[in-house]
Amino acid sequence: DAGPVIFLHERGVWLRFCEVFDVVIPEIVADDEALFHSRDELTGAARAINVRAEEAAGRVTAVAATASEFGALLSGFSDDFAMGLHEGELEGLALLTERESLDECVFCTGDGAAIQAAMMRGLSERCLPLEDLLGSSGLKQPVPNQLSRRFFETHQRMGLDNRMTGLGMRRRD
């Protein structure tokens, strides 16, 4: 998700975060990040975010999902629910659910629908809010609501409820 990447840049902790964690970013997010800018917290000056340059420097890894990985993920969701998910989050979820080589990765997003989708696909043990990642890495600092534990838990509960009731899931006939 672009939200955590932008926030970490704005707070000036992106490089330290990349030193602590092996950061894997869906290719769609890596490519779209060129469209975003962060703002320096002190000066307010805009700074371009270039995830591809970070990848070239060995600080992050960008990974692309295949069409079959996207298809396998989407086959579990109703069309209405899937339409509410952004491409970058879909790619991240497809990679986590379908790519065995990424079994050690966790999903971090500030998007409520994506958190719900992760829970609906059984990824509850592999999702964490940015607030928790920052706290566990010694980089703890205040985060906006959508990157907080409270926001995460709200959408986690909703996603687990959806999984139990079948809401947003594709019906198997």
Side-chain angles (χ1 to χ4, degrees):
D1 177 22
V5 174
I6 294 167
F7 174 80
L8 292 167
H9 276 85
E10 287 177 344
R11 289 297 172 98
V13 296
W14 171 253
L15 293 177
R16 288 189 296 172
F17 188 85
C18 291
E19 290 170 2
V20 174
F21 296 105
D22 292 328
V23 178
V24 177
I25 298 177
E27 194 166 81
I28 291 171
V29 175
D31 290 338
D32 286 350
E33 285 308 290
L35 304 176
F36 294 103
H37 290 79
S38 66
R39 297 231 170 256
D40 184 280
E41 193 172 75
L42 297 175
T43 66
R47 293 182 298 200
I49 297 174
N50 187 340
V51 174
R52 290 300 187 180
E54 298 296 322
E55 182 181 30
R59 286 188 275 275
V60 303
T61 303
V63 182
T66 65
S68 64
E69 288 168 333
F70 272 107
L73 173 74
L74 290 170
S75 70
F77 298 126
S78 69
D79 292 341
D80 288 343
F81 184 82
M83 287 176 47
L85 298 168
H86 300 125
E87 290 177 341
E89 283 99 1
L90 282 171
E91 185 170 37
L93 290 168
L95 290 165
L96 287 179
T97 58
E98 303 302 319
R99 184 89 48 100
E100 285 185 30
S101 63
L102 298 177
D103 281 349
E104 299 292 317
C105 290
V106 298
F107 186 63
C108 179
T109 182
D111 184 278
I115 295 167
Q116 292 174 42
M119 299 305 121
M120 293 162 69
R121 288 308 303 260
L123 296 173
S124 60
E125 300 296 321
R126 298 185 58 203
C127 297
L128 289 171
L130 185 61
E131 181 175 31
D132 288 6
L133 291 171
L134 289 170
S136 71
S137 66
L139 299 172
K140 185 176 175 111
Q141 55 193 275
V143 296
N145 180 57
Q146 72 271 18
L147 300 175
S148 72
R149 164 138 298 280
R150 195 167 110 226
F151 180 86
F152 177 85
E153 288 175 345
T154 297
H155 291 280
Q156 179 184 44
R157 279 190 303 277
M158 292 169 69
L160 292 171
D161 287 348
N162 290 350
R163 183 177 170 95
M164 297 279 293
T165 63
L167 183 66
M169 305 293 285
R170 186 171 304 280
R171 296 189 192 276
R172 305 281 181 209
D173 296 326

